[in-house]
Amino acid sequence: MSDYRRCYIPGGSYFFTVVTEKRMPVFVNDTARDCLRAAFRYCLQTYPFQINAMVMLPDHIHAIWTLPIDDYDYSKRWGIIKKYFTQSWLALGGHEQQVSASKRNYRRRGVWQRRFWEHTLRNQEDYNRHFDYIHYNPIKHGIVKNLLDYPYSTFHRWLKQGIYPENWGMKYDPYFEFITLKNLE
């Protein structure tokens, strides 16, 4: 992974996947969800960005962000969010996974995987596909059968604005068959 190069485009829109350490189901806990919301609010105060779509699943987050026109530094934002969340979560008695001594030397904690996955959205079709993928994820992972039953998603915001109908995602749709975590994470 040392050859990995991130794409930074000022004002760009990006799809992200951020995963907890060893896929620990941190976000089944109300305290963890509150800490994450607080971490986002904290980051947004100094480094604004638009959250276009987001879903918080037990062990990972998917999001689409659009950055300000003159800014491209989403890595700094994720760093702030992950650090703030980790400090708050652990201060409130949250659990972390064991990490090696060498990882501790680099000030790593056992809450988040070290990196995150990013994809620069190339056009409207790419954006729409990832937007739908994010909102369909609770069904894809078998958490709910009806997206109306899943509160930890921006689906409800877009439903109120008429972007999605109430029954969206409830029936089998072959469009989602080829979209898998393997393709997008």
Side-chain angles (χ1 to χ4, degrees), residues 144-161:
V144 293
K145 291 184 180 182
N146 184 336
L147 291 171
L148 295 173
D149 298 332
Y150 196 74
Y152 312 113
S153 167
T154 54
F155 173 76
H156 300 280
R157 176 192 340 160
W158 297 112
L159 176 68
K160 285 178 189 169
Q161 293 186 28

Side-chain angles (χ1 to χ4, degrees), residues 6-149:
R6 296 208 184 271
C7 182
Y8 293 103
I9 298 173
S13 292
Y14 304 90
F15 169 82
F16 301 101
T17 300
V18 185
V19 182
T20 61
E21 184 73 23
K22 298 178 184 173
R23 292 234 177 224
M24 179 174 60
V26 173
F27 301 115
V28 297
N29 179 298
D30 284 336
T31 302
R33 290 188 289 261
D34 291 343
C35 287
L36 186 63
R37 287 183 195 101
F40 270 89
R41 283 193 297 275
Y42 177 79
C43 181
L44 283 162
Q45 289 174 359
T46 309
Y47 297 98
F49 59 95
Q50 182 178 356
I51 300 171
N52 307 99
M54 190 163 136
V55 65
M56 183 181 355
L57 297 152
D59 61 359
H60 66 286
I61 301 163
H62 292 299
I64 293 175
W65 294 356
T66 300
L67 298 185
I69 197 71
D70 59 344
D71 194 349
Y72 58 83
D73 202 349
Y74 53 79
S75 292
K76 177 181 291 251
R77 288 166 171 85
W78 277 118
I80 290 168
I81 292 165
K82 288 166 78 171
K83 180 179 180 179
Y84 187 97
F85 172 84
T86 299
Q87 290 172 345
S88 301
W89 171 242
L90 296 176
L92 292 171
H95 180 71
E96 66 181 312
Q97 297 289 323
Q98 289 285 88
V99 294
S100 67
S102 65
K103 287 182 180 178
R104 287 244 185 236
N105 287 341
Y106 286 99
R107 299 173 57 189
R108 289 270 327 278
R109 302 301 300 254
V111 178
W112 296 101
Q113 285 185 5
R114 180 170 171 236
R115 297 179 189 254
F116 57 87
W117 195 86
E118 152 270 320
H119 168 73
T120 303
L121 298 170
R122 297 180 295 269
N123 54 38
Q124 191 64 49
E125 181 183 347
D126 193 24
Y127 181 98
N128 293 347
R129 192 167 54 92
H130 286 83
F131 189 85
D132 287 345
Y133 176 79
I134 286 171
H135 293 119
Y136 189 73
N137 237 247
I139 291 175
K140 179 182 180 298
H141 286 281
I143 297 170
V144 293
K145 291 184 180 182
N146 184 336
L147 291 171
L148 295 173
D149 298 332

